[in-house]
Amino acid sequence: MSDAFVAVALPLALRQTLTYAVPGDLAGSPRPGARVVVPVRQREMIGIVTALDGPAPAGPARSVIAVPDAEPVLDEPLLALAGHVARYYAAPPGLVLRAMLPPPLFSVGQPVVELDDPGVLPAGGAGPALARLLGRRAGGVPLRLVRREAGSAGLNLVHRLVAEGAARVVTLPPRTAAPEQRERVLELTERLDSLLERERRFARAPRQRQAYEALEQLGGRAAASQLDALGVSAAALRALVAGGVVRAVEERRIRDPFAELPVSLPPGEPTPAQVDAIAALRGLPPGGAALLWGVTGSGKTLVYLEYLRHVLAEGRGAIVLVPEISLTPQTVARFRGVFGDQVAVLHSALSDGERYDAWRALREGTRRVAIGPRSAVFAPVPRLGAIVVDEEHDTSYKQGETPRYHAVEVAQARAARAGATVVLGSATPAMESWAAVERGAVRLVALPERIGSRPLPPVEVVDLRTAPLTEGSGGVPWSEALDAAVAGALERGEQAMVLLNRRGFSTFVQCPSCGEVWTCPACSITLTFHQVPPVLRCHHCDHREPPPASCRQCGSATQRYRGVGTQQVEAFLARRFPRARIARMDVDTTGAKWSHHRILDAVGRGEVDLLVGTQMIAKGLDFPRVTVVGVVDADVALNLPDFRSAERTFDLLTQVAGRAGRGPLGGRVIVQTRQARHPAVSHAARHDVRGFALAELAERREPPYPPHVALANLVVSGPREEAVADASVRLGVWLRALAEARPEAGVAVLGPAPCPIERIRGRWRWHVLLKARDAARLTRLVRYVSARAPVAGGARLVVDRDPVSLL
Ligand code: ADP
Ligand code: ZN
Ligand code: ZN
C-alpha cells in the first residue's frame, strides 16, 4: 500500500508545514487537528496535522511515528481559526497552534516505544542495544532513552519498525502537577418554582431557604467549599440533603486557585436600561456583534451575566475575556456567583497541569464558560454561543510576541465561523469599535446612566502651570485643590485613589553641572531610581546598577533626581497624612502570585484609606466608598510619539475617574495637567466619550491612521546599528517598488525611520509602516513580506499587524 502524506505544523518558527508519510499500518490514523509524534532531525517532536492527502514531496519523506490521541486536540473550527490567525498576522502556523493549546500537549517527554515480539529486532546494528533496553523495562521504553543509549541508529531502527508495523510509539497523557483531589459538590434535585411552595416548605427554616436560594443562584450546583465561603450554613445544607431537596456528590476537583476566592451573588433584578440592553443582545443574529457602551458604573457585568444565562440555557457555551485577570477578581467573582462550577478560570498563575485540566474540562463540556485573558479566546468551548470581551479597549488584548494576535479581532473571526455572537463592552470603546459601529458591522447598545441614576463624578482640572502647590510637597506636583479633596475624604472616613502612571521613585537622574542623564547600557531609555533598596533600574530589560556617587562625565559630586513615580508619591502622602492607611499598587508591589488580591481585598474591606497606583488601579474596580480620585500628572503618556497616545490618555483618565462616586456617598475627581486644553483631557473632564471619539477619528483621517486604514509595523532590529539602518533602507526601497508596481492595491509605505525607542536589550531598532485601505490587501502583503523581504546581515524582521504601540 502506498503511503499517504499529511501536512504537520511543528511548534517552531517555520513558515511552512512539513510533509510526513503515514505508514499504512500505523495504529490510529491521523486526522486534521490531531497530534502526531514525528521525527525532526535527530529528535521527536509533537506536531499538529493541518491537512490530509497532501501531494508526495519531491524527496523522500520521513514517517509519522505515532498518533497519540483517539480524538484530534483541535476540532475543525479551531483548526480553521488557527489558519486564519497564521495568515492574518503572517505568523508561523506551528507557533499559532502552540499559543492555542496547553503546553503539556507539546511535551515530548512522554513518547515510549512498545514492541510485541523482540524477535523482530535485527542481530546487528542497534538491534542488541534496543533489545537490552526493552528487556530491562516493562511498559515501553521512552524514546529519550533510546536516543541516549542507542543513538540515532537506535531511533532509526525504531522508526523503521514503526513503519513496518512491528513496533508502536505511544504517548502517555501529560502528567498534571499534583495528585487528583476530590471535593464535595451539592446539587439541587428539586426545583421549588412557586413562592408558595417555598413558603410552605421552609416556613420554619429560614436558613434552609437561604441555603436553597444560594444554591439556586449558583446555577443549582456548587462546591461545598464555595457555599461555605458565601457564608451558607452547613447545618442548613445537611438538613436539605436529609430532606431530599439537595444531593451531595464527590467529584474530582480541578485545582483552581480562583476557586478559593469568595464569589459574589448578582446584585438583584436588572434595571429597565439593563433589560433593554439584554434584549438587544438577545436579538443579535448568529455571528452578529454588539458594542455595549456603558458609562463606568452602568452595570455592564449584570448585562453580560443575564445574556450569557440565556446562551447557556440554549445549551451553548461562552468565553469571557477580561484584560488582566489578576486585576479583575471582582468580575471573576461575579461570574462564579452566577455560573458556579460551570466556570473555568484561565489565568497566568496556573501551572501547566492546571491549564491542561481546565482545557480538558472545557473540551469535554463539564465546564461551559471560560474566563480568562486574551489567550482564552482559543478556549476549546464546544457549541460556542457567545464571546464577551470586557474592557475591549484594553491594550493587553494584543499579544506582544509571535503570534502577535489581537484577541478582539480573533474573537470576531472565531464567532463568525461558529455562528456565535460577540459582545464588546467598554466605557471607552476603541476607535476601531466606533468605526465598526459606523460601518454597520457592530450594533451599538448603550447604557448611558449609572445604576441608581448616580451622577458621574464632577471632574475638576487643575492647571499645574499656575495652580498653587501644597507646601512641603518637594518634587511631587500636589496642588492645594487635590490636597484639600484627599484630606476631606480621609476626614470623613471615606476612601481615595491617587493615580500616577509611572512607577519607581524618580524617573531619571541627571547631572546638574553637565546635563548627563543616566540611561540603560542596553536600551535607549533613562534608568528609573527605586528607593527601597536604592538602585537604578531599566524598565525595559531590568538592568540594575547602583545610584551614581558622582558624574561619570564631569565628576560632579551631586546628582539630581528628577521626575516623580508612585514610590515618591506614596512616601510624600505618608508624610502628609500620617494617620492614613496607604497601599500602593504597581508592578513592584504585585509581583507575588496573589498580591493583587490581597491589596484589593484590603481596599474592599475598608482597611486601606488611600490607594496609590499606576494604571492598574483604573481597571474595572468597583469600590463604593471611594469618593475622591486624584490624577497626579495626566500628561505622562500624552506626548509619546504614537498615534494612539491621546486615546490611551483619554481612556485612562475616564476609567480612573469612573472609580469615584460608585456608591451613595458620591464622589469627585481632580486631574492635574499642564495641557488642560488637550482634547484627551478636556473631553475626559466632561465625560464626553462620544465627543472625544469624533474628534479623534477626525484627527486620524489625515494623515490616515487606523481605524481608517489597516496598519502593519515592520520592525527591523539587530545588534549593529549600521547593519539595521542599511537593512531598513533596503527594505523600504523593496517595499516601495512593490507598492508602485501595483498602485491599484492602495498601499502606502512610510519610512524607514528609527523606532521611537531606538534600542532595546542591546538591539537597534528601525521600522517601516505599511498602510492599506483594504485589510485583505494588507493580509496578502504582510504574508508576502514576511516570506520574501530582503532582511539579512544579522538583522531580524518582525511584522506587527494591527499594532497597539509604535514605540
Ligand atoms: P460597570 O462595569 O458598567 O462599570 P458594574 O457592572 O461594575 O458596572 O456595576 C456597577 C455597580 O452597580 C456594581 O456594584 C453592581 O453590583 C451594581 N449593579 C449593577 N446592576 C445592578 C442592578 N440591576 N441593581 C442594583 N445594583 C446593580
Ligand atoms: Zn556631569
Ligand atoms: Zn534596558
Side-chain angles (χ1 to χ4, degrees), residues 395-420:
T395 51
S396 72
Y397 286 125
K398 171 83 175 175
Q399 170 137 309
E401 57 195 52
T402 308
R404 293 167 191 271
Y405 66 91
H406 197 303
V408 172
E409 185 277 325
V410 178
Q412 284 169 330
R414 182 168 179 187
R417 287 178 164 73

Side-chain angles (χ1 to χ4, degrees), residues 719-804:
R720 285 185 40 243
E721 186 174 16
E722 251 183 37
V724 169
D726 283 353
S728 310
V729 169
R730 267 197 308 278
L731 176 65
V733 169
W734 183 80
L735 286 167
R736 284 210 165 76
L738 213 59
E740 277 156 23
R742 317 247 339 247
E744 75 283 2
V747 171
V749 180
L750 269 78
C755 292
I757 303 176
E758 284 182 55
R759 198 161 159 256
I760 293 181
R761 289 190 171 81
R763 298 181 72 88
W764 295 91
R765 306 166 71 239
W766 281 55
H767 66 159
V768 182
L769 291 180
L770 289 180
K771 291 179 180 176
R773 291 270 164 211
D774 176 22
R777 293 265 186 208
L778 192 62
T779 306
R780 259 169 283 155
L781 187 59
V782 291
R783 272 171 72 68
Y784 185 76
V785 168
S786 59
R788 300 286 171 77
V791 175
R796 185 170 73 203
L797 173 67
V798 165
V799 175
D800 189 6
R801 172 83 185 265
D802 299 349
V804 295

Side-chain angles (χ1 to χ4, degrees), residues 511-516 551-556 559:
C511 171
S513 20
C514 75
E516 170 80 352
C551 177
R552 57 186 163 193
Q553 289 298 329
C554 72
S556 161
Q559 295 297 305

Side-chain angles (χ1 to χ4, degrees), residues 265-272 274 294-304 330-331 334 390-391 427 447 450-452 454 620-624 655 658-659 662:
L265 294 176
E269 290 299 307
T271 62
Q274 287 171 324
V295 301
T296 53
S298 59
K300 290 185 286 295
T301 315
L302 188 62
V303 173
Y304 304 145
Q330 289 180 324
T331 309
R334 288 174 188 171
D390 190 25
E391 311 287 358
L447 290 172
R450 280 188 159 182
I451 290 293
R454 278 181 202 123
L621 301 176
D622 185 35
F623 295 121
Q655 293 288 346
R659 301 314 115 205
R662 294 171 77 89

Side-chain angles (χ1 to χ4, degrees), residues 321-353:
L321 301 182
V322 291
E324 278 158 71
I325 198 146
S326 51
L327 298 177
T328 45
Q330 289 180 324
T331 309
V332 173
R334 288 174 188 171
F335 276 87
R336 293 190 80 98
V338 169
F339 298 117
D341 64 3
Q342 296 262 39
V343 175
V345 186
L346 307 162
H347 52 89
S348 56
L350 292 181
S351 68
D352 283 354

